[in-house]
Amino acid sequence: MVEQAKHKKLWVHACMMLALMVVFHVIPPLGVITEVGMRLIGVFLAMLYGWTTCGMLWPSLMGMMGVALSGAMPMSNFLALSFGNETVVFILFIFIFTGVIDEVGLIDYIANKMISFPFLNGRPWLFSTFVIIGAYISAAFINMFAAIIVFWGIIYIVAERFDFKPYDKYPILMIFGVTLASCIGGCVMPYKPVPLVVLKAYSTMAGVQMDFFKYLFFSLPVTFLVMLFYVLLCRFVFRPDIKELRHISVDFADPDALILKKRQKVAVAFLVTFIFLMIAPSILPEAWILTQWINALGIVGCLFFLLVLMHLVTVDGEPMLVFHQITKHISWDIFIVMAFVIPFAGIFTGEDTGIKEAIIMAMKPLLAGLSPMVFIVLSLLIATLLTNIANNMVVGAVFATLLFTIGTSMGLEIAPIIAVLVVCVNLALATPAASPVAAMCFANKKWCRASDLYKYGIVTVLTGFVFAVAIGLLWAGIVY
């Protein structure tokens, strides 16, 4: 009965989305916004509604149909821009690549390694920091959802051993901290979905190639410091009772998991090679034949090369990659959303819509007298707030377009701002709708009260925003 009622609600939400699209088909053009622009605004609002109430996959498919019916372009052209886009193809196969890394148990190794150091004995806050760092590393290089599940498991073991109860402050803060580390870790590597979409939106508007090395050089220290800032926030502001945790001993690490197995070593080698291929064009001389080959293959070709090698390389008589067994790691929700968002961001602010001109005209009176720094901080703050009630990938893509459109008219250097924007839209933790990992955290009702998560989430997002913008803008200015 519950499932039937939920399914009936989907019909209501689908009708609401359709109504939004239809209404904007009949509203006459406003100012410089064209008829096509009005229809695309209806599609955009329908998508925001659908993503918030229903999920990500089928509303995105409705959005594709909405674009085709708006007159912006036929469906065949839109599909060529979406599923034929290099970034969309890349994200499909990166799920397979990271799925192999996940399957060999590398996250379990990282988790046990991070809590096995003898110097953690009797140091509860250092131990807590290493747990969160472990989740951060696992999310940054492998899979954020798997990182959450594994490191929550460690927190549950600690809670049981040291007599913490559900809803106690310490386990709630640690569960939330692992979620934060996984979320913020998800924007470290440029091949992760959110940074990939935002950087692609910027590079498309600016007509420049994405510099993965510069982004990585920016993101690693900034996100790491944001995570450490949360630990300090817990210790000196939230101040939970750590009970007998001050006498912690790290003897509960699994000895078998501390041995890096052969398949795990091979997986690490593939991961390091992949990261090298991503940043090589930015650091190797252009005249080298290796650089020319990597540029010719592009990020998708390099990924295909590694996947083929994974299929050919055998360890203990078994190939590293068996395609039909690893496809379960593909997140179809994220893939379809990216297939919609990447082309839509460009179409939405294209010359035929008048939307870009309308935004500039509307913002000019508001920006009159404001310094460029006030504009930057205000834009990043609005993006951070919106990302906690809407999909962070979508918010990031839209604000990358807006920042480029308005920022260039103010004579600003946009690339550093875009890098900080990626971090800001990954502070998506204050509500269940903020991100999939936030939804996981709020769903953990056995250990966490929603009211506590709202409280810690709002404080963490706002203080984290101040810290990330202050440190991020300074460092981005140096890097870029």
Side-chain angles (χ1 to χ4, degrees):
M1 290 295 290
V2 175
E3 287 298 319
Q4 288 181 347
K6 182 185 282 189
H7 196 73
K8 287 180 180 178
K9 285 184 178 180
L10 291 180
W11 278 97
V12 174
H13 294 316
C15 290
M16 285 293 295
M17 290 176 63
L18 188 60
L20 282 168
M21 294 186 197
V22 170
V23 166
F24 278 84
H25 266 253
V26 298
I27 295 177
L30 297 174
V32 295
I33 301 177
T34 65
E35 188 175 337
V36 171
M38 293 300 296
R39 293 172 181 175
L40 289 176
I41 290 174
V43 173
F44 178 67
L45 294 176
M47 290 303 95
L48 290 181
Y49 176 85
W51 289 327
T52 304
T53 58
C54 310
M56 308 304 294
L57 199 153
W58 67 263
S60 299
L61 297 177
M62 281 190 68
M64 294 180 187
M65 293 185 287
V67 171
L69 295 174
S70 71
M73 64 176 56
M75 180 65 86
S76 57
N77 290 13
F78 186 86
L79 293 178
L81 292 173
S82 58
F83 294 105
N85 183 282
E86 181 187 34
T87 304
V88 175
V89 176
F90 175 81
I91 203 66
L92 175 65
F93 287 94
I94 197 65
F95 283 129
I96 295 174
F97 181 82
T98 55
V100 174
I101 308 297
D102 186 21
E103 284 282 316
V104 299
L106 203 54
I107 290 181
D108 287 330
Y109 171 79
I110 293 171
N112 281 277
K113 191 67 177 177
M114 293 303 294
I115 61 172
S116 66
F117 299 110
F119 60 78
L120 299 179
N121 289 328
R123 296 174 173 174
W125 282 110
L126 190 59
F127 169 82
S128 302
T129 303
F130 269 63
V131 170
I132 292 176
I133 290 174
Y136 168 83
I137 294 171
S138 301
F141 295 99
I142 309 174
N143 184 292
M144 66 173 67
F145 301 105
I148 287 174
I149 292 169
V150 170
F151 282 89
W152 278 3
I154 292 175
I155 294 167
Y156 300 151
I157 293 171
V158 171
E160 182 179 353
R161 175 172 290 197
F162 294 97
D163 199 32
F164 288 104
K165 305 294 186 229
Y167 312 135
D168 281 351
K169 186 181 282 189
Y170 177 79
I172 291 177
L173 289 172
M174 286 300 294
I175 287 169
F176 184 79
V178 165
T179 308
L180 168 67
S182 300
C183 197
I184 208 74
C187 71
V188 172
M189 301 304 294
Y191 59 78
K192 294 292 184 175
V194 174
L196 196 61
V197 169
V198 177
L199 294 175
K200 180 64 176 179
Y202 165 70
S203 66
T204 301
M205 293 284 292
V208 297
Q209 290 295 318
M210 294 179 284
D211 192 323
F212 288 137
F213 178 72
K214 278 188 178 180
Y215 176 77
L216 184 59
F217 195 54
F218 160 81
S219 65
L220 264 174
V222 172
T223 54
F224 190 80
L225 288 174
V226 169
M227 183 189 56
L228 293 184
F229 174 76
Y230 173 77
V231 176
L232 295 175
L233 199 65
C234 289
R235 182 170 185 179
F236 298 109
V237 178
F238 297 140
R239 303 182 66 181
D241 179 6
I242 59 173
K243 299 186 178 182
E244 295 302 309
L245 192 65
R246 57 180 57 87
H247 304 303
I248 189 167
S249 172
V250 294
D251 56 358
F252 55 83
D254 183 358
D256 292 333
L258 291 173
I259 302 171
L260 199 61
K261 300 173 180 62
K262 191 183 295 185
R263 289 182 73 86
Q264 292 172 333
K265 291 177 181 177
V266 174
V268 169
F270 272 109
L271 182 60
V272 171
T273 304
F274 173 68
I275 294 171
F276 168 75
L277 291 174
M278 291 281 288
I279 65 174
S282 301
I283 59 176
L284 297 181
E286 291 183 9
W288 285 14
I289 190 168
L290 177 61
T291 310
Q292 295 172 16
W293 284 351
I294 294 172
N295 285 329
L297 287 172
I299 57 173
V300 175
C302 291
L303 183 58
F304 285 175
F305 169 71
L306 292 177
L307 290 176
V308 170
L309 276 184
M310 278 182 161
H311 185 68
L312 295 176
V313 171
T314 59
V315 179
D316 297 327
E318 295 183 6
M320 286 294 294
L321 167 62
V322 180
F323 270 94
H324 69 272
Q325 294 177 358
I326 214 73
T327 52
K328 63 185 178 181
H329 289 275
I330 297 173
S331 174
W332 292 106
D333 283 36
I334 293 176
F335 174 64
I336 297 298
V337 168
M338 290 188 69
F340 173 78
V341 168
I342 287 177
F344 183 77
I347 296 167
F348 190 66
T349 56
E351 297 296 329
D352 297 333
T353 66
I355 293 173
K356 180 169 68 174
E357 291 77 9
I359 291 170
I360 294 174
M361 289 173 61
M363 293 295 290
K364 273 185 177 178
L366 298 175
L367 297 175
L370 291 183
S371 68
M373 182 56 68
V374 173
F375 162 72
I376 294 169
V377 173
L378 190 60
S379 299
L380 294 174
L381 176 60
I382 295 171
T384 304
L385 296 177
L386 286 178
T387 201
N388 280 279
I389 57 175
N391 181 269
N392 55 349
M393 192 187 305
V394 177
V395 172
V398 171
F399 268 79
T401 305
L402 296 179
L403 281 167
F404 180 83
T405 301
I406 300 170
T408 49
S409 69
M410 299 176 69
L412 295 174
E413 179 64 38
I414 306 301
I417 308 171
I418 297 298
V420 180
L421 173 67
V422 176
V423 177
C424 288
V425 297
N426 271 272
L427 292 171
L429 297 154
T431 71
S435 63
V437 293
M440 283 179 66
C441 194
F442 277 86
N444 192 348
K445 298 183 185 300
K446 179 179 179 181
W447 283 93
C448 306
R449 280 187 294 260
S451 58
D452 290 330
L453 292 176
Y454 279 119
K455 177 175 63 178
Y456 299 136
I458 291 170
V459 173
T460 301
V461 167
L462 292 178
T463 55
F465 165 79
V466 174
F467 184 83
V469 169
I471 299 296
L473 287 175
L474 180 64
W475 182 238
I478 295 172
V479 171
Y480 287 90

